Amino acid sequence: MVDQPHAPMIDKESNANRNANLKSLLDRFLELCDLSLKSFDPTQESLFCAVLLSAQQTRSNRSFQVAATRGLSQAFQDIELSDAHSLIGRTIDSNKGNVSKDLHTDPDLGKFEELRKFNSAYCVPLQNHKDKLGVLLFGAQDEDYFAKPRQDLLNLIGEQVSHSIKNFYNYQDIEFQMQLHKELRRKTARELHDGLTQVVAALAMRANFARRMMEVDPEATEQELIKVEELARVTTKEIRQMIFSLKPSEIDSLGLKTAVESMAGKFGDLFSLEVAIHFNRDLESMIPINRQRVIYSLIEESINIIRKKGGTKQVEVRLSNIENEFLLLEIEEQVQRESIEEKDQMNGEYESMLVTASLIKATVQVDTNQENGLLIKFYIPHSDLV
């Protein structure tokens, strides 16, 4: 079995930098909230404020992670709320600000000891169109602190925070797309260099050889031309598959499983390869579209690695959700082999697959000891979804 040794060619600091940039943005908004509230009363009492963002890995609008705080300790910043129903839940459901004067009995907030010194709270929804992004949460010792003028001010700031967070996520999406397209270009260049360029050169040499033999040995020339024709047909199939893989438009419009089914049909038409797909269509609803695009590329790259080893007529693709912690993607060939090439014999194909997998922080295992042949596994974490 071959394990992924490292996360290749991807800047390991990029995700940390993005999280730091988001926190810096939110910290500035919390500072603005504090300064704005002080405009009502410069001698105001101590407040707390926090930004809780939807925990995207759960695909739930009721699970939250603390992204930034002001006036609270580091311990509070490590808090995650799951299945919120009280003050935060009401705010999400109603999509408007809500006041609470019983933090001690709130099932979600009452369990945090640091909040017990506050007697009132105000929660503002962070929503951009249909996207429920999270909430702004404020607390004060005065039960009547959050009067309507302060509520109106915080609601206005909440709208600006919502737009800024959505714009930040959109920028992340564009950045991710650029990274994915860069890797696709690199993969295409490698395939052209390692495969099609050499095949076209071989076609030219064989055609030249056939031309020289034409007058000397017509029968041998005919056999050589048959080889040239067959090589040209195979090359045409590979070019068509390469063009198709560059833009799997079905993912955006119809979803991952439909795109993989279309891919399977292409492999069947071009290479007489049967691809059996085993995963529940409901599973793809848990996977953000960017991650679906990468998973599609991993499936395609894995099938091509298996196909180019020769002898394979059937491949199985399996995708499963393991304890809501990670996705397990398996691509397994169905063929008996006396020996299977190890990772270091797979040239640049394996390294390219590792780079693609690292885009979604997936761990790769290549099992060469299977009765049915090569088995490639990807362990894809739910956390840090793109």
Side-chain angles (χ1 to χ4, degrees), residues 299-322:
I299 293 172
E300 192 236 352
E301 289 182 27
S302 300
I303 294 176
N304 273 324
I305 287 176
I306 292 173
R307 175 181 64 81
K308 291 177 181 179
K309 304 309 170 189
T312 300
K313 291 300 180 183
Q314 184 178 12
V315 175
E316 285 193 0
V317 176
R318 301 184 291 270
L319 181 64
S320 54
N321 183 29
I322 308 299

Side-chain angles (χ1 to χ4, degrees), residues 4-222:
Q4 177 180 342
H6 59 286
M9 298 176 64
I10 297 295
D11 183 3
K12 295 181 180 180
E13 297 181 356
S14 60
N15 288 315
N17 290 338
R18 284 194 289 269
N19 291 336
N21 290 338
L22 178 59
K23 185 179 186 304
S24 177
L25 172 69
L26 297 176
D27 283 339
R28 289 197 295 271
F29 272 112
L30 293 183
E31 182 179 6
L32 174 62
C33 290
D34 190 50
L35 293 174
S36 300
L37 290 172
K38 282 182 179 179
S39 67
F40 287 94
D41 180 6
T43 62
Q44 71 173 32
E45 61 189 273
S46 176
L47 299 175
F48 84 80
C49 48
V51 180
L52 290 82
L53 297 181
S54 294
Q56 296 181 42
Q57 67 265 30
T58 64
R59 310 300 292 166
S60 169
N61 291 324
R62 295 186 178 278
S63 297
F64 299 89
Q65 296 173 322
V66 177
T69 63
R70 188 175 180 86
L72 295 169
S73 67
Q74 178 63 42
F76 188 90
Q77 298 180 33
D78 297 330
I79 290 172
E80 293 186 12
L81 290 176
S82 59
D83 197 26
H85 281 91
S86 296
L87 175 62
I88 295 177
R90 292 197 307 272
T91 302
I92 289 294
D93 290 339
S94 64
N95 192 30
K96 63 180 182 181
N98 279 264
V99 176
S100 174
K101 297 183 179 180
D102 54 353
L103 275 66
H104 302 88
T105 60
D106 187 297
D108 301 317
L109 304 182
K111 60 185 177 183
F112 303 125
E113 185 174 351
E114 194 170 353
L115 302 183
R116 293 178 182 175
K117 62 182 179 181
F118 299 101
N119 297 310
S120 65
Y122 187 61
C123 193
V124 180
L126 299 177
Q127 182 165 339
N128 186 272
H129 300 296
K130 294 183 179 180
D131 296 322
K132 297 180 183 294
L133 305 173
V135 295
L136 279 174
L137 183 65
F138 303 89
Q141 293 179 359
D142 182 358
E143 287 189 356
D144 301 317
Y145 182 81
F146 295 105
K148 192 174 189 308
R150 290 188 175 95
Q151 291 184 23
D152 292 340
L153 173 64
L154 296 177
N155 290 340
L156 181 61
I157 294 176
E159 291 179 8
Q160 299 305 312
V161 175
S162 298
H163 290 307
S164 297
I165 293 174
K166 186 61 178 177
N167 288 338
F168 180 86
Y169 287 159
N170 288 339
Y171 179 79
Q172 274 193 309
D173 181 73
I174 293 171
E175 196 176 45
F176 182 86
Q177 289 298 324
M178 292 174 63
Q179 196 173 21
L180 179 58
H181 291 159
K182 181 179 179 180
E183 178 53 33
L184 287 173
R185 289 195 299 271
R186 183 186 295 115
K187 182 184 73 171
T188 302
R190 180 185 58 78
E191 290 182 352
L192 286 171
H193 178 270
D194 295 345
L196 295 179
T197 301
Q198 297 181 29
V199 172
V200 171
L203 283 171
M205 287 190 295
R206 284 186 175 275
N208 179 267
F209 180 63
R211 180 176 58 79
R212 294 183 178 184
M213 292 179 57
M214 191 174 296
E215 296 181 0
V216 179
D217 191 344
E219 291 186 4
T221 300
E222 182 181 1

